[in-house]
Amino acid sequence: MTARAMPDFAIIAHRGASGERPEHTLAAYQLAIDQGADFIEPDLVLTKDGVLVARHENEISDTTDVSRHPEFADRKTSKTIDGVRTTGWFTEDFTLAELKTLRAKERLPRLRPANARYDGQFAIPTFDEIIALAKAGGEKRGRVVGVYPETKHPGYFASIELPHEAPLLAALEAAGWNNAQAPVFVQSFEVGNLKALDAASDVRLVQLMQEEGGPADMPDIRYRNMLTAGGLRAIASYADAIGPQKSLVIPIAENGQLEEPTALVGWAHDAGLLVHPWTFRAENYFLPGDLRQGDSPADHGNLAAEISAFIAAGIDGLFSDQPGLAAQALGKQPPSDEEKAD
């Protein structure tokens, strides 16, 4: 069966189906594919021997069982990453073989206790393994499944002589995905990393942005300064899309209700940029006050209503921890077994 083209609206599985499995595991990515995600999204950090692996941060005490491995007790240390002093265990101090002896655990066990049942079952995946999973999942389901990697702390990793660019582009080249038509978006909160990738490849790039702070590699610039019509035109000189924190698209009022959309989507589209906001999550803890249901922060609220508001605002895709619920809200159901067999 010939794979269909990428969709006009992208469901991006944030760290996989991380609302239902421990994040950044092959199990989370596979479930996301099964639920209809168009892209699976790994955060990429590097090992001591220069291999790209998927972890939320290079400090791994919250997402692995490393603290239970006495053979690695002496690896615990403190480092300053993007100006923040952090203590723990860091991927760049382990070889890939050593990291493969660890097992993932749920990062938010209080909000997602069901996920914690899978603690200890899954290994840390490499970027190559994730690409292979996306390709196999797409082939099985007769549709394209892409990857949407984020380079985590690229300036820091470059400073310790472990830059992202070469291994990232090598992995995409090996997959036949190092081109503008590939089902790939590469994202970063930094700017220099994206500009370097833009000079070296035609793969699509995404400038991530949040309400507070600014790019770690441009300490004099705030994201707010980039969120103007002129600022977005400048971003369009090296990127193809923006990934804004969702409150930059639709703010939340003091009463907990969504306000009217800002001008951001219109400005971005005028500059030729797609808009993929983050992150849509079903738990009450993450939802606007008026969309919460039940008494617990872990209870699921009305995610569909939130997504509908953003669709009306004109976004081109979204990041979600629950890609299956996002697909339902969009009326996009994964194919049945019969459809897959056609």
Side-chain angles (χ1 to χ4, degrees), residues 60-130:
I60 55 174
S61 59
D62 286 341
T63 60
T64 74
D65 62 357
V66 64
S67 65
R68 297 185 179 183
H69 286 252
E71 68 272 26
F72 298 136
D74 62 349
R75 306 283 178 94
K76 189 175 184 179
T77 187
S78 296
K79 300 187 182 190
T80 299
I81 313 294
D82 296 345
V84 178
R85 193 68 174 169
T86 305
T87 299
W89 289 264
F90 298 82
T91 59
E92 62 268 26
D93 297 329
F94 294 78
T95 65
L96 176 63
E98 290 172 330
L99 283 180
K100 283 292 189 179
T101 68
L102 307 180
R103 290 297 176 265
K105 68 178 184 179
E106 172 56 36
R107 189 173 59 88
L108 303 172
R110 292 185 179 181
L111 281 177
R112 294 169 175 170
N115 283 12
R117 295 179 302 177
Y118 298 96
D119 285 359
Q121 296 188 26
F122 308 126
I124 296 174
T126 67
F127 187 39
D128 287 337
E129 291 170 336
I130 295 165

Side-chain angles (χ1 to χ4, degrees), residues 124-147:
I124 296 174
T126 67
F127 187 39
D128 287 337
E129 291 170 336
I130 295 165
I131 292 174
L133 183 73
K135 286 197 158 195
E139 182 176 351
K140 177 181 178 181
R141 294 189 167 273
R143 61 183 180 85
V144 178
V145 177
V147 293

Side-chain angles (χ1 to χ4, degrees), residues 197-333:
L197 288 169
D198 181 51
S201 172
D202 291 329
V203 72
R204 290 175 291 183
L205 305 174
V206 184
Q207 178 68 65
L208 296 173
M209 314 172 89
Q210 57 189 11
E211 277 200 13
E212 303 298 329
D217 61 333
M218 299 177 65
D220 296 331
I221 301 295
R222 305 287 87 186
Y223 291 119
R224 286 282 183 181
N225 302 136
M226 302 167 73
L227 289 168
T228 64
L232 291 165
R233 286 194 295 271
I235 290 172
S237 69
Y238 62 86
D240 303 275
I242 58 170
Q245 187 173 358
K246 61 186 180 182
S247 56
L248 294 169
V249 176
I250 304 181
I252 299 176
E254 291 185 3
N255 64 4
Q257 296 183 353
L258 292 173
E259 296 183 344
E260 291 298 313
T262 67
L264 178 59
V265 172
W267 286 345
H269 286 168
D270 288 345
L273 295 165
L274 300 172
V275 181
H276 296 161
W278 52 272
T279 302
F280 291 81
R281 297 170 163 125
E283 292 88 0
N284 284 335
Y285 182 83
F286 301 109
L287 286 168
D290 65 332
L291 298 182
R292 296 172 184 171
Q293 298 173 342
D295 299 324
S296 170
D299 288 343
H300 283 200
N302 194 350
L303 177 62
E306 183 184 37
I307 289 175
S308 294
F310 279 79
I311 296 297
I315 64 172
D316 304 289
L318 57 83
F319 293 78
S320 180
D321 287 7
Q322 288 96 359
L325 294 180
Q328 291 175 20
L330 289 158
K332 297 173 64 173
Q333 300 298 324

